């Protein structure tokens, strides 16, 4: 299975999201975690993630249609050291608004470097769930992806995994380089978004 996705819109204003019936699956992670590479590995359309990296879009929420009733939502990378405080605050407000207020959101794919494990910033994103209005119904599904798994040496795998399981998280180990986990991730996305 390969996803065919197409760019729909880029939103940098809180609340100005598309009006449609699609179920949305959002991808979030720190800058440099490998989000663009993972997007490219997940979808067919060449250069799709590059679209999100064009000037003006790196700080935006980028929407991609996926088949007839799904959408992938690329959230801006946060925690970039070179980013000014104002930009970081603006991104934080936008990401928080999207994750807590966006009704069609069904699943959050949180990307964490496989060698690092989740830190406070990532755990805080996962806990935003609690701030969604109760009338939105079912809680959103969360899928944690441990990125760049090819960089974890075989002897270090268990230690790396423990940094996730210590927080009750079972990550999908993924590598955009050698393809590990990509198909499992596609299946999980379809399963949780359609459910
Ligand atoms: P983004 O800022 O989160 O979109 O991250 P990028 O996808 O641009 O990747 C950041 C850096 O990590 C680049 O140098 C990529 O080549 C590298 N990278 C991304 N994914 C992988 C991976 O699965 N394995 C390895 N070894 N490197 C990766």
């Amino acid at each position: 299975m390969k996803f065919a996705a197409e760019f729909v819109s880029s939103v940098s204003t809180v609340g100005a999201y598309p009006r449609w019936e699609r179920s949305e699956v959002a991808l979030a992670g720190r800058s440099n975690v490998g989000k663009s590479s993972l997007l490219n590995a997940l979808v067919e359309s060449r250069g799709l993630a590059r679209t999100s990296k064009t000037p003006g879009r790196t700080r935006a929420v980028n929407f991609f249609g996926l088949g007839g009733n799904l959408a992938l939502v690329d959230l801006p990378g946060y925690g970039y050291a070179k980013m000014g405080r104002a930009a970081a605050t603006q991104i934080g407000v936008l990401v928080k608004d999207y994750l807590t207020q966006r009704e069609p959101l069904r699943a959050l794919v949180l990307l964490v470097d496989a060698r690092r494990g989740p830190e406070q910033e990532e755990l805080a994103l996962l806990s935003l769930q609690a701030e969604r209005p109760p009338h939105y119904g079912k809680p959103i599904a969360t899928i944690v992806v441990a990125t760049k798994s090819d960089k974890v040496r075989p002897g270090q795998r268990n230690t790396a995994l423990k940094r996730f399981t210590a927080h009750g998280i079972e990550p999908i180990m993924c590598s955009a380089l050698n393809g590990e986990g990509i198909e499992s991730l596609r299946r999980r996305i379809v399963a949780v978004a359609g459910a």
Side-chain angles (χ1 to χ4, degrees):
M1 177 182 24
K2 249 248 170 189
F3 284 163
E6 59 184 56
F7 176 69
V8 176
S9 66
S10 199
V11 174
S12 44
T13 309
V14 163
Y17 313 122
R19 292 177 187 210
W20 57 19
E21 300 296 313
R22 293 170 185 269
S23 294
E24 296 176 0
V25 177
L27 281 89
R30 274 192 186 172
S31 297
N32 225 36
V33 73
K35 188 154 56 64
S36 312
S37 307
L38 190 83
L39 257 173
N40 275 332
L42 278 176
V43 303
E44 219 156 46
S45 336
R46 285 246 198 110
L48 176 132
R50 211 169 41 222
T51 308
S52 295
K53 285 212 158 176
T54 53
R57 292 202 177 124
T58 54
R59 293 175 189 180
V61 179
N62 294 298
F63 291 83
F64 300 90
L66 197 74
N69 49 17
L70 272 185
L72 276 183
V73 182
D74 186 15
L75 298 175
Y78 54 88
Y80 188 45
K82 285 186 202 156
M83 191 187 289
R85 187 178 285 262
T89 304
Q90 186 202 346
I91 288 175
V93 169
L94 189 58
V95 168
K96 183 173 179 185
D97 180 77
Y98 174 83
L99 291 176
T100 58
Q101 306 303 320
R102 181 62 169 165
E103 195 178 359
L105 177 63
R106 298 283 171 274
L108 169 64
V109 181
L110 179 64
L111 277 53
V112 178
D113 193 303
R115 296 162 298 177
R116 204 168 49 81
E119 287 171 13
Q120 205 41 53
E121 227 168 4
E122 280 98 10
L123 299 171
L125 276 189
L126 290 176
S127 65
L128 281 179
Q129 168 92 266
E131 295 183 35
R132 286 174 67 80
H135 71 269
Y136 281 4
K138 265 204 305 201
I140 53 170
T142 52
I143 302 170
V144 176
V145 167
T147 61
K148 311 187 191 181
S149 64
D150 58 279
K151 291 203 175 189
V152 180
R153 277 181 270 118
Q156 294 295 316
R157 281 221 158 199
N158 278 344
T159 312
L161 272 172
K162 275 186 193 145
R163 291 194 197 104
F164 289 83
T165 53
H167 297 282
I169 295 168
E170 295 283 346
I172 306 181
M173 296 286 265
C174 284
S175 166
L177 205 73
N178 67 19
E180 182 188 4
I182 302 297
E183 187 59 23
S184 312
L185 177 57
R186 281 195 203 105
R187 290 180 195 281
R188 279 281 288 282
I189 287 176
V190 169
V192 297

